[in-house]
Amino acid sequence: MKVGIAGITGKFARRLVTHLLSSADKTLTIKGFCRDASKGNAFDKEAIAKFAEGLDVIVCCYLGDDELMVNGQKLLIDACEAANVPRYVASDWALDYTKLKFGELFPKDPMIHVKAYLDEKKSVEGVHVLIGGFMEPIFSPFFNIVDVQTNTIRYWGEGTEVMEGTTYDDAAKYTAKVVLDKDAKGILKFLGGRSTIQEIAKSYEEVYGVPATLEKRGSLDDLYKTMHDMRAKDPQNIYSYMSLFFYYYWINGQTLLGSELDNGRYPDVKAADWKGYVASWPKDQIATSFFALNM
């Protein structure tokens, strides 16, 4: 099988390549495409067409602004169509964004656009891998939920809302399986585990042997108002409020994958649940686990 990976130098793409290369498929060939001024970029139609030639599947691992995530992917999809590449794995790995309306969780709007574009294609099958939220960022400064120095875990809502999550590495393992499975098409849902923030705090205590303090920031309604107020006040300062939008739609129940998962399709992948993820990192390193994904 000939696999093309667009955005091959990214963190997730590197994990994907690692798991593809560990497969038993002796026919596997991996062809990479990345943005390089001397060799072309994400909007170089000629370079993209050359990249797509002779491939059995293209996986998009782009991560960037809306221009890249929408129009960059459309060019890849068009190249698939022109080169008779039968499958395109979109840059998804997310909550179930198919249940969202445009503008609700704005960083996921490109995914909605790309899925609609793929749905219109007759010769290219879209593949969409949904995994809940990535676990690593929850413990990172991006969300500012877990403070390992004070063992404080902050939350919005009641603390009983379900959080579906999968580690980056397990998501890459499942994606590698999907890529090598010619029958894997459409929406596929894989999940490491489901826990409430209260249960995550309990796992933290059990794994690290220290008491955790739960600190409530407000209700879900408070969170909704806060994130929209911050966006209205300073819309250009996107990183000041983006994590709040993610958190709101992660726990409000709207984007849950549900009970019908595809984990059983690849039973040899043993995905970590929330406690398993916590147990895989020392306490003083878990906050930076997101930055160690190149390993």
Side-chain angles (χ1 to χ4, degrees), residues 203-224:
S203 293
Y204 183 96
E205 292 180 329
E206 292 176 351
V207 170
Y208 297 135
V210 295
T213 300
L214 282 165
E215 180 182 294
K216 182 172 180 174
R217 291 182 163 182
S219 67
L220 281 182
D221 287 341
D222 293 333
L223 172 56
Y224 186 87

Side-chain angles (χ1 to χ4, degrees), residues 8-239:
I8 197 168
T9 58
K11 288 184 172 68
F12 185 82
R14 294 184 187 186
R15 300 311 306 154
L16 175 58
V17 169
T18 296
H19 294 302
L20 284 172
L21 292 176
S22 67
S23 74
D25 189 340
K26 302 302 181 183
T27 69
L28 176 65
T29 299
I30 298 175
K31 187 178 183 181
F33 182 78
C34 60
R35 289 181 285 176
D36 185 320
S38 65
K39 300 179 181 178
N41 58 48
F43 304 100
D44 185 331
K45 292 182 180 180
E46 184 177 343
I48 293 170
K50 185 176 181 180
F51 164 65
E53 290 176 359
L55 296 177
D56 295 303
V57 58
I58 284 180
V59 187
C60 181
C61 293
Y62 286 165
L63 180 62
D65 60 19
D66 286 3
E67 177 69 13
L68 175 66
M69 299 306 292
V70 177
N71 294 326
Q73 287 201 78
K74 285 183 177 181
L75 288 175
L76 287 170
I77 294 166
D78 290 345
C80 284
E81 190 173 41
N84 295 314
V85 180
R87 289 190 302 148
Y88 178 84
V89 182
S91 185
D92 289 349
W93 304 286
L95 311 167
D96 191 349
Y97 64 87
T98 67
K99 300 174 182 176
L100 293 169
K101 298 176 182 177
F102 280 116
E104 287 186 322
L105 182 54
F106 62 92
K108 300 305 177 188
D109 283 354
M111 298 176 178
I112 300 174
H113 280 291
V114 170
K115 185 179 183 300
Y117 194 70
L118 275 165
D119 287 345
E120 296 174 352
K121 300 295 183 182
K122 292 182 170 54
S123 62
V124 183
E125 292 277 3
V127 185
H128 307 275
V129 180
L130 306 182
I131 51 83
F134 284 120
M135 291 178 176
E136 287 88 346
I138 282 295
F139 289 81
S140 76
F142 175 70
F143 275 102
N144 193 29
I145 290 175
V146 181
D147 185 338
V148 297
Q149 301 301 318
T150 62
N151 300 312
T152 300
I153 298 178
R154 310 176 184 95
Y155 69 97
W156 297 85
E158 299 305 313
T160 57
E161 295 85 358
V162 171
M163 300 184 76
E164 295 181 328
T166 306
T167 68
Y168 273 86
D169 197 54
D170 286 336
K173 289 178 183 177
Y174 280 122
T175 303
K177 294 290 186 181
V178 167
V179 168
L180 297 174
D181 181 356
K182 293 181 179 180
D183 295 324
K185 301 170 184 176
I187 295 174
L188 297 160
K189 300 179 180 181
F190 304 102
L191 193 62
R194 295 185 177 96
S195 287
T196 66
I197 200 71
Q198 292 178 354
E199 291 168 338
I200 292 171
K202 185 177 179 180
S203 293
Y204 183 96
E205 292 180 329
E206 292 176 351
V207 170
Y208 297 135
V210 295
T213 300
L214 282 165
E215 180 182 294
K216 182 172 180 174
R217 291 182 163 182
S219 67
L220 281 182
D221 287 341
D222 293 333
L223 172 56
Y224 186 87
K225 183 178 186 304
T226 298
M227 67 195 201
H228 281 284
D229 284 350
M230 291 179 69
R231 188 180 187 187
K233 182 178 180 180
D234 191 4
Q236 300 303 316
N237 190 11
I238 188 171
Y239 287 103

